[in-house]
Amino acid sequence: MAKTSDTARQLAQGEERGKRTERLWARSMTAILLATVGLVVFISAHWGWHPPSQLETIDPTSLHQGGEFAEGNLGTLIAPDGSAVVRVVAQQYAFVPSCVLVPAGVPVTMRVASADVVHGFLIEGTNVNAMVVPGYVTTVRTSFRESGEHLMPCHEFCSVGHQGMWARVRVVDAAKFPSADAKVKGVSCAR
Ligand code: CUA
């Protein structure tokens, strides 16, 4: 008789322990979830960050035929306020232009579109690191403090020629930046 009640007590204790552990687990998970959501809301609102998946869409099959990513528009355009807008097309297995020319010390907006598959867009020694997904325009804002050269490799495997897909970014003194001619709008250092 005593043995039966012992067993019953042990069972009840075990169940209570189990419930406590479960409650602790559920509370921890809720706290982590709320902290994550809070962090996302904070950095979006406070720092103006947004997820890399862009809201701007573009038809990857007709990039070259006209519009923003037509050949003459690729490269760097200087806006009236002195900031630069760089347009680049990523395709198997090259970036166009293959040498991006930017002025030092001004805000630079990079706009990149893929003509085929997913590519990577990274500029060594800077905070620029994004994916280029066909159908979307990847927009990255940055600035280059000093003149010099940076490598710009594709860092998303995009098939057999991936390792050969890279370009350069040449940063020059803003005063020496060439002005665009009438025929070609975008300036670059590609030959
Ligand atoms: Cu493009 Cu790897």
Side-chain angles (χ1 to χ4, degrees):
M1 188 68 193
K3 218 173 195 178
T4 322
S5 70
D6 270 3
T7 314
R9 200 172 341 113
Q10 274 168 1
L11 274 175
Q13 278 173 353
E15 203 178 323
E16 189 48 44
R17 235 193 335 260
K19 277 184 186 162
R20 236 182 298 139
T21 312
E22 252 178 56
R23 272 198 298 272
L24 185 68
W25 182 254
R27 280 192 199 123
S28 321
M29 288 305 111
T30 310
I32 291 172
L33 197 70
L34 289 178
T36 312
V37 171
L39 196 66
V40 169
V41 170
F42 175 75
I43 60 173
S44 323
H46 190 65
W47 291 339
W49 283 15
H50 50 84
S53 53
Q54 302 298 321
L55 296 172
E56 252 182 283
T57 57
I58 194 157
D59 179 7
T61 58
S62 59
L63 279 188
H64 306 284
Q65 285 161 21
E68 188 185 339
F69 290 94
E71 208 181 344
N73 290 332
L74 299 180
T76 309
L77 268 155
I78 304 296
D81 66 357
S83 68
V85 180
V86 182
R87 290 187 177 83
V88 176
V89 166
Q91 59 191 24
Q92 287 168 323
Y93 298 99
F95 290 99
V96 185
S98 60
C99 181
V100 171
L101 192 65
V102 286
V106 305
V108 176
T109 304
M110 322 270 313
R111 291 174 61 78
V112 193
S114 167
D116 38 50
V117 299
V118 175
H119 296 281
F121 177 60
L122 177 146
I123 303 176
E124 285 185 340
T126 72
N127 66 337
V128 177
N129 183 343
M131 275 168 80
V132 189
V133 181
Y136 295 88
V137 179
T138 296
T139 307
V140 186
R141 287 179 189 88
T142 188
S143 70
F144 300 86
R145 249 177 265 157
E146 287 160 21
S147 47
E149 281 217 357
H150 301 262
L151 282 180
M152 190 178 104
C154 170
H155 66 309
E156 283 289 336
F157 182 74
C158 52
S159 195
V160 290
H162 163 70
Q163 79 282 355
M165 181 171 173
W166 60 277
R168 278 171 302 146
V169 175
R170 187 176 297 159
V171 186
V172 296
D173 204 74
K176 289 185 200 144
F177 197 83
S179 53
D181 66 40
K183 269 182 264 157
V184 183
K185 288 190 225 155
V187 172
S188 84
C189 43
R191 267 161 287 183

Coordinates of all heavy atoms in Angstrom, one line a residue, residues 90-95 116-120 153-159 161-166, ligand 1:
A90 N 24.6 42.5 -64.0 CA 25.3 41.2 -63.7 C 24.8 40.1 -64.6 O 23.6 40.0 -64.7 CB 25.1 40.9 -62.2
Q91 N 25.7 39.4 -65.3 CA 25.2 38.4 -66.2 C 26.3 37.3 -66.2 O 27.4 37.6 -65.9 CB 24.9 38.9 -67.5 CG 26.1 39.6 -68.2 CD 25.7 40.3 -69.5 OE1 24.6 40.8 -69.6 NE2 26.7 40.5 -70.3
Q92 N 25.9 36.1 -66.6 CA 26.9 35.0 -66.7 C 27.9 35.4 -67.8 O 27.5 35.5 -68.9 CB 26.2 33.7 -67.0 CG 25.5 33.1 -65.8 CD 24.5 32.0 -66.2 OE1 23.9 32.0 -67.3 NE2 24.4 31.0 -65.3
Y93 N 29.2 35.6 -67.6 CA 29.9 35.6 -66.4 C 30.7 36.9 -66.3 O 31.9 36.9 -66.3 CB 30.9 34.4 -66.3 CG 30.1 33.1 -66.3 CD1 29.9 32.4 -67.5 CD2 29.4 32.7 -65.1 CE1 29.2 31.2 -67.5 CE2 28.7 31.5 -65.2 CZ 28.6 30.8 -66.3 OH 27.8 29.7 -66.4
A94 N 30.0 38.0 -66.2 CA 30.7 39.3 -66.2 C 29.7 40.4 -65.6 O 28.5 40.2 -65.5 CB 31.1 39.8 -67.6
F95 N 30.4 41.5 -65.1 CA 29.6 42.6 -64.7 C 29.8 43.7 -65.9 O 30.9 43.8 -66.4 CB 30.2 43.2 -63.4 CG 29.9 42.4 -62.2 CD1 30.9 41.6 -61.7 CD2 28.6 42.5 -61.6 CE1 30.6 40.8 -60.6 CE2 28.4 41.7 -60.4 CZ 29.4 40.9 -59.9
D116 N 20.2 37.2 -65.9 CA 19.9 35.7 -65.9 C 19.6 35.1 -64.6 O 18.5 34.9 -64.2 CB 21.0 35.0 -66.7 CG 22.4 35.6 -66.4 OD1 22.7 35.7 -65.2 OD2 23.2 35.9 -67.3
V117 N 20.7 34.7 -63.9 CA 20.5 33.9 -62.6 C 20.9 34.8 -61.4 O 21.2 36.0 -61.6 CB 21.4 32.6 -62.6 CG1 20.9 31.7 -63.8 CG2 22.8 33.0 -62.7
V118 N 20.9 34.2 -60.2 CA 21.3 34.9 -59.0 C 22.8 35.1 -59.0 O 23.6 34.2 -59.2 CB 20.9 34.2 -57.7 CG1 21.4 34.9 -56.5 CG2 19.4 34.1 -57.7
H119 N 23.3 36.4 -58.8 CA 24.7 36.7 -58.7 C 24.9 37.4 -57.4 O 24.0 37.8 -56.7 CB 25.2 37.6 -59.8 CG 25.1 37.0 -61.2 ND1 26.0 36.1 -61.7 CD2 24.1 37.1 -62.2 CE1 25.6 35.7 -62.9 NE2 24.5 36.3 -63.2
G120 N 26.2 37.5 -57.0 CA 26.6 38.2 -55.8 C 27.2 39.5 -56.1 O 27.8 39.6 -57.2
P153 N 34.1 41.0 -56.8 CA 33.8 39.7 -57.3 C 32.4 39.3 -57.1 O 31.7 39.8 -56.3 CB 34.7 38.8 -56.4 CG 34.8 39.5 -55.1 CD 34.7 41.0 -55.4
C154 N 31.9 38.3 -58.0 CA 30.6 37.7 -57.8 C 30.8 36.7 -56.7 O 31.7 35.8 -56.8 CB 30.1 37.1 -59.1 SG 28.6 36.1 -58.9
H155 N 30.0 36.7 -55.6 CA 30.2 35.7 -54.6 C 29.0 34.8 -54.3 O 28.8 34.3 -53.2 CB 30.7 36.4 -53.3 CG 29.6 37.3 -52.7 ND1 29.0 38.3 -53.4 CD2 29.1 37.4 -51.4 CE1 28.1 38.9 -52.6 NE2 28.2 38.4 -51.4
E156 N 28.2 34.7 -55.4 CA 27.1 33.7 -55.3 C 27.4 32.7 -56.5 O 27.6 33.2 -57.6 CB 25.8 34.3 -55.6 CG 25.2 35.1 -54.4 CD 24.7 34.2 -53.3 OE1 24.4 33.0 -53.5 OE2 24.6 34.7 -52.2
F157 N 27.5 31.4 -56.2 CA 27.8 30.5 -57.3 C 26.7 30.6 -58.4 O 25.5 30.4 -58.1 CB 27.8 29.0 -56.8 CG 28.2 28.1 -57.8 CD1 29.5 28.0 -58.3 CD2 27.2 27.3 -58.4 CE1 29.8 27.1 -59.3 CE2 27.6 26.4 -59.4 CZ 28.9 26.3 -59.9
C158 N 27.2 30.9 -59.6 CA 26.2 31.2 -60.7 C 26.5 30.3 -61.9 O 26.1 30.6 -63.0 CB 26.2 32.7 -61.1 SG 27.9 33.3 -61.4
S159 N 27.1 29.2 -61.7 CA 27.4 28.1 -62.7 C 28.9 28.1 -63.0 O 29.7 28.7 -62.3 CB 26.5 28.2 -63.9 OG 26.6 27.0 -64.6
G161 N 31.2 29.3 -64.9 CA 32.1 30.4 -65.1 C 32.2 31.3 -63.9 O 32.8 32.4 -63.9
H162 N 31.6 30.9 -62.8 CA 31.5 31.8 -61.6 C 32.8 32.3 -61.1 O 32.9 33.5 -60.8 CB 30.8 31.0 -60.4 CG 31.0 31.6 -59.1 ND1 30.4 32.7 -58.7 CD2 31.7 31.1 -58.0 CE1 30.7 33.0 -57.5 NE2 31.6 32.1 -57.0
Q163 N 33.8 31.5 -61.0 CA 35.1 32.0 -60.4 C 35.8 33.0 -61.3 O 36.6 33.8 -60.8 CB 36.1 30.8 -60.2 CG 36.8 30.3 -61.4 CD 35.9 29.4 -62.3 OE1 34.8 29.1 -61.9 NE2 36.4 28.9 -63.4
G164 N 35.3 33.2 -62.6 CA 35.9 34.2 -63.4 C 35.1 35.5 -63.5 O 35.4 36.4 -64.3
M165 N 34.1 35.5 -62.7 CA 33.2 36.7 -62.8 C 33.5 37.7 -61.7 O 33.2 37.5 -60.5 CB 31.7 36.2 -62.6 CG 30.7 37.4 -62.6 SD 29.0 36.8 -62.7 CE 28.1 38.3 -62.5
W166 N 34.2 38.7 -62.1 CA 34.5 39.8 -61.2 C 34.8 41.1 -61.9 O 35.0 41.1 -63.1 CB 35.8 39.4 -60.3 CG 37.0 39.1 -61.1 CD1 37.3 37.9 -61.7 CD2 38.1 40.0 -61.4 NE1 38.5 38.1 -62.4 CE2 39.0 39.3 -62.2 CE3 38.3 41.4 -61.1 CZ2 40.2 39.9 -62.7 CZ3 39.5 41.9 -61.5 CH2 40.4 41.2 -62.3
Ligands
CUA1 CU1 28.0 35.5 -61.0 CU2 29.0 33.9 -59.5

